[in-house]
Amino acid sequence: MMLRLRSVLSLLLVVITTFLVSCSGPSVKVPDTYTPDRIAQIQIYLTPVSEARQGMETLGEFVQANNWTNARTYIHGPFGFLRRDLTYLANTLLPNDQKAAKDLIDEIFAHLERLDAAAQDRNGTATTTEYNNALADFDAFLRLIPGNTEAS
Ligand code: ZN
């Protein structure tokens, strides 16, 4: 009787374990594609980044007009959360894209810092160069985002 109960219990354990493994399987698997869920999440984090991309046009107008004060105010004000917003969006990408995106974020901010310094020095050539480079890296970042129709 005892032996029989034990074999029933061990069989039950096998059934339960099999069930648990098959249930937990998909959720622990690392995603290697852009699933519809992931795309939906990306769209949410893309919103503030798309707004910032429009803000780049405003910054470009200040740069073109040699409006040093407004250019610097724009970098420190409206772009104050840009690194955070870009990083949130980068974190939703697949590992390979994430690495490339984070490199581009570093690039964008290196250019914006140099643009800020050049504007302080009232150096029109340098501000234009750094602005164009920041814009190119921003657009390269956007091209990494799947389902993004705004990337040029
Ligand atoms: Zn660059």
Side-chain angles (χ1 to χ4, degrees):
M1 179 60 192
M2 196 60 209
L3 200 71
R4 200 190 153 127
L5 181 63
R6 199 175 287 174
S7 67
V8 169
L9 282 177
S10 65
L11 178 66
L12 195 63
L13 193 65
V14 168
V15 170
I16 289 169
T17 306
T18 308
F19 178 75
L20 287 178
V21 167
S22 64
C23 283
S24 64
S27 64
V28 294
K29 191 177 154 249
V30 176
D32 51 6
T33 55
Y34 284 108
T35 59
D37 274 0
R38 192 174 269 249
I39 297 280
Q41 196 190 17
I42 286 168
Q43 290 304 312
I44 293 166
Y45 289 107
L46 180 60
T47 303
V49 171
S50 296
E51 284 167 17
R53 178 58 183 81
Q54 284 164 30
M56 283 297 286
E57 301 295 330
T58 308
L59 179 60
E61 285 165 25
F62 294 142
V63 166
Q64 212 162 22
N66 286 351
N67 192 332
W68 319 114
T69 307
N70 281 355
R72 298 194 68 212
T73 302
Y74 207 87
I75 291 169
H76 293 279
F79 278 179
F81 292 108
L82 181 58
R83 184 182 272 272
R84 186 201 64 180
D85 291 339
L86 290 170
T87 304
Y88 282 167
L89 181 55
N91 285 340
T92 64
L93 300 177
L94 297 179
N96 265 355
D97 293 340
Q98 208 174 106
K99 169 81 175 74
K102 287 183 174 174
D103 288 347
L104 283 168
I105 293 172
D106 288 342
E107 279 284 322
I108 293 164
F109 277 86
H111 293 306
L112 287 179
E113 273 168 35
R114 278 180 242 149
L115 168 53
D116 185 36
Q120 192 171 22
D121 294 343
R122 300 172 172 269
N123 183 335
T125 309
T127 51
T128 301
T129 302
E130 297 303 340
Y131 171 78
N132 287 336
N133 288 338
L135 192 66
D137 288 331
F138 201 126
D139 285 340
F141 176 91
L142 285 176
R143 279 193 294 273
L144 291 171
I145 313 302
N148 172 34
T149 52
E150 287 178 55
S152 49

